[in-house]
Amino acid sequence: MTLEYATRYRRASRIPADPTKPYVIEKGEGDRAHLFGDLVTVYAGAEQTENTFNFFTVEGPKGDIIPAHLHADTHEVFYVTQGAVRLFVEDLAGEQMERLLTPGDFGFVPKNCTHSYRMERHHSQVVGVAAGPGRTYERFFENLGTPVGEMGLPHAPVVPEPQKFATVPQEFDVRFLPDHQWRTQ
Ligand SMILES: O=C(Oc1cc(O)cc(O)c1C(=O)O)c1ccc(O)c(O)c1
């Protein structure tokens, strides 16, 4: 039997509302949201880990570009499990690098390092873990994007309205840098 719980985020979630309860979630059945071309699936977050880390996947289509951004208080892990993902990172000294990550490859982006990525094969998948001295930020995806019940990638990109762009990212420690230039290509 598959259990569903009402939580503060969803009427029906596979994540128990009681943070002391052990649980398992079948593939793809975490709390799902669409943002840009991506399907983000959250399996654990702030409530489960006393704000110490989260665990989610991001899947997207070929060509999907996440705009350059940084997190002042959040360190991030990019572990690629499907497809190919080109990760762009700038360190605190301003040195830039880009690397193509394929399944099993791992990228670490410390807080305050500007980064972005591009999916280079259809339906690439990144496993994300993000944590820092502040709160975890996994609910960013459904707040800037749209919570969904369906399993697949968005049929059309979910582009947030300007009003959401103006408020949601900073609430979740995300700072988009629209004028940032990558000099690596
Ligand atoms: O892919 C990750 O995050 C994002 C996905 C989006 O569709 C839009 C975004 O703005 C982001 C973002 O990072 O802000 C991702 C992957 C791995 C990881 O550890 C993350 O913290 C985020």
Side-chain angles (χ1 to χ4, degrees):
M1 187 178 64
T2 308
L3 292 174
E4 283 190 337
Y5 309 92
T7 68
R8 57 191 286 216
Y9 300 109
R10 306 277 160 138
R11 265 179 298 161
S13 174
R14 300 292 156 88
I15 302 176
D18 173 0
T20 66
K21 197 174 167 61
Y23 63 96
V24 296
I25 297 180
E26 284 177 29
K27 181 177 176 180
E29 296 200 329
D31 287 355
R32 296 178 292 283
H34 286 166
L35 175 58
F36 306 127
D38 293 338
L39 167 68
V40 181
T41 308
V42 173
Y43 291 89
E47 286 77 21
Q48 289 70 48
T49 68
E50 297 181 286
N51 266 313
T52 55
F53 68 96
N54 53 28
F55 187 100
F56 55 91
T57 58
V58 181
E59 295 157 67
K62 181 174 174 175
D64 195 23
I65 298 172
I66 297 308
H69 64 280
L70 62 77
H71 310 280
D73 254 346
T74 308
H75 310 281
E76 290 183 331
V77 155
F78 288 75
Y79 181 70
V80 173
T81 49
Q82 273 174 218
V85 177
R86 189 170 298 276
L87 181 64
F88 299 81
V89 192
E90 181 175 306
D91 71 16
L92 296 181
E95 184 156 336
Q96 298 188 351
M97 69 167 207
E98 67 167 81
R99 291 281 188 289
L100 185 67
L101 306 181
T102 56
D105 293 342
F106 173 91
F108 181 74
V109 178
K111 68 178 188 175
N112 275 313
C113 290
T114 300
H115 57 285
S116 71
Y117 68 70
R118 185 171 66 228
M119 303 237 175
E120 299 212 339
R121 288 219 189 107
H122 186 58
H123 212 140
S124 294
Q125 184 186 56
V126 181
V127 170
V129 174
R135 54 191 287 206
T136 64
Y137 88 128
E138 64 283 346
R139 300 293 164 185
F140 162 73
F141 304 107
E142 65 193 30
N143 275 276
L144 187 60
T146 309
V148 291
E150 67 215 61
M151 288 282 196
L153 300 182
H155 295 299
V158 173
V159 180
E161 292 178 1
Q163 171 61 21
K164 275 188 168 181
F165 259 123
T167 54
V168 174
Q170 58 188 359
E171 189 190 330
F172 289 91
D173 190 31
V174 180
R175 197 166 112 216
F176 287 109
L177 302 162
D179 298 327
H180 187 80
Q181 300 287 328
W182 294 108
R183 303 179 299 270
T184 51
Q185 293 136 318

